[in-house]
Amino acid sequence: MAVPIAVLDCDLLLYGRGHRTLDRFKLEDVTDEYLVSTYGFPRQFICYLVDLLGATLSRPTQRSRAISPETQILAALGFYTSGSFQTRMGDAIGISQASMSRCVANVTEALVERASQFIHFPKDEATVQTLKEDFYGLAGMPGVLGVVDCTHVAIKAPNAEDLSYVNRKGLHSLNCLMVCDSRGVLLSAETHWPGSLADCTVLEQAALTSQFETELHKDGWLLGDSSFLLRTWLMTPLHIPETPAEYRYNMAHSATHNVIERTFRTLRSRFRCLDGSKGTLQYSPEKSSHIILACCVLHNISLQHGLDVWSAPATGHMEQVEEEYEQMESVDSEACRVRQELLLTHFS
């Protein structure tokens, strides 16, 4: 008689069932240097995440003894910052490969649940004014509330029939629309758009557009590159500058907009699961989108804790799926008027 073969969880074999927490790894047993080199972050930051996510990660489970929030967070950080489920990572904290995968999923969802807490535009007038002043200090561009751009993150092919995630280079990707402030803090992050969509199409359909057209368009604008259409709340470069004022405007625009490119490089440098060096994200588009958003949340939290890596040298292979775009020309007469007034008032 055939005997059915069950796939057993390694932790279940080793430890049995129950709700008690397994303390496989203790932060106090290792140095800060080890934590940074292995998990990408120092002890104080990891302890903050344990306090922030601990209640969520302690939800009861019937599968095996519960893995402590601390261990789950270390497992997830190890994946985010290294880009791979390495056996030595699981061995270092005493969990199986299957448990590593579950930890990443649990921590990712816990961070996504808190995305609006850490990624948002300022609402009070004093903070908005400070935001504008900080941008103005970069290159003299007034009224800036944020810089916006898209970046592609490579993912595995969802299935043979779904071509919506195939970008212009024939690779499967998610096209992620993000806005940041002058320090690189993310103010908006939409990470779920299929790679086949052009940047201007993503923006047209994005929640960001609804926000600015209904709520946030008050004496200020975003800066976007020429892949976007000029709008009253989105200033783009002039396609062919002719006057000194237009050249000055374009130079100030470029110097200010460069902040988002530096932010993308920071994200890829800190979270190697996004940079392509370990291959594509081996998840469905939805799960991949959540992983990207979780990294965005961690990026903002790290900046709140003073962990700025802009000055740190990039290491290893840094591959990014770049998309070519056509120069977009606006047919919005009111948007053209707003830009022309900006040129005359501040750059003439």
Side-chain angles (χ1 to χ4, degrees), residues 155-232:
I155 62 171
K156 73 172 184 179
N159 57 61
E161 290 76 29
D162 190 352
L163 300 179
S164 64
Y165 292 92
V166 179
N167 59 42
R168 292 185 182 182
K169 294 193 173 183
L171 304 173
H172 291 82
S173 67
L174 289 168
N175 196 2
C176 305
L177 179 73
M178 300 187 192
V179 180
C180 74
D181 70 9
S182 63
R183 293 176 50 239
V185 175
L186 293 170
L187 306 175
S188 177
E190 299 185 35
T191 59
H192 62 283
W193 297 102
S196 65
L197 295 181
D199 293 0
C200 61
T201 304
V202 168
L203 182 62
E204 182 179 344
Q205 300 178 13
L208 178 68
T209 294
S210 297
Q211 278 185 300
F212 265 79
E213 291 184 345
T214 60
E215 302 172 19
L216 295 174
H217 181 207
K218 295 179 180 178
D219 301 321
W221 38 71
L222 300 179
L223 296 188
D225 63 23
S226 297
S227 63
F228 300 114
L229 284 169
L230 178 71
R231 300 169 185 256
T232 56

Side-chain angles (χ1 to χ4, degrees), residues 63-205:
R63 296 196 59 164
S64 64
R65 278 179 163 177
I67 301 175
S68 70
E70 183 178 280
T71 301
Q72 293 185 62
I73 287 168
L74 288 171
L77 291 178
F79 167 69
Y80 298 147
T81 57
S82 72
S84 62
F85 288 112
Q86 297 177 14
T87 301
R88 68 173 182 83
M89 188 67 69
D91 291 343
I93 52 181
I95 62 174
S96 66
Q97 189 79 7
S99 294
M100 274 283 295
S101 182
R102 287 198 301 276
C103 289
V104 170
N106 292 343
V107 174
T108 296
E109 292 311 305
L111 289 168
V112 167
E113 288 175 5
R114 290 161 177 79
S116 61
Q117 177 182 346
F118 294 99
I119 303 175
H120 57 81
F121 284 91
K123 296 186 182 300
D124 63 281
E125 291 186 11
T127 307
V128 170
Q129 185 58 35
T130 299
L131 181 66
K132 293 179 183 178
E133 290 172 357
D134 289 344
F135 271 119
Y136 187 79
L138 294 179
M141 180 69 76
V144 180
L145 299 170
V147 289
V148 60
D149 207 349
C150 288
T151 186
H152 285 252
V153 175
I155 62 171
K156 73 172 184 179
N159 57 61
E161 290 76 29
D162 190 352
L163 300 179
S164 64
Y165 292 92
V166 179
N167 59 42
R168 292 185 182 182
K169 294 193 173 183
L171 304 173
H172 291 82
S173 67
L174 289 168
N175 196 2
C176 305
L177 179 73
M178 300 187 192
V179 180
C180 74
D181 70 9
S182 63
R183 293 176 50 239
V185 175
L186 293 170
L187 306 175
S188 177
E190 299 185 35
T191 59
H192 62 283
W193 297 102
S196 65
L197 295 181
D199 293 0
C200 61
T201 304
V202 168
L203 182 62
E204 182 179 344
Q205 300 178 13

Side-chain angles (χ1 to χ4, degrees), residues 51-71:
D51 290 339
L52 177 69
L53 307 177
T56 302
L57 298 177
S58 297
R59 291 168 180 164
T61 173
Q62 296 295 328
R63 296 196 59 164
S64 64
R65 278 179 163 177
I67 301 175
S68 70
E70 183 178 280
T71 301

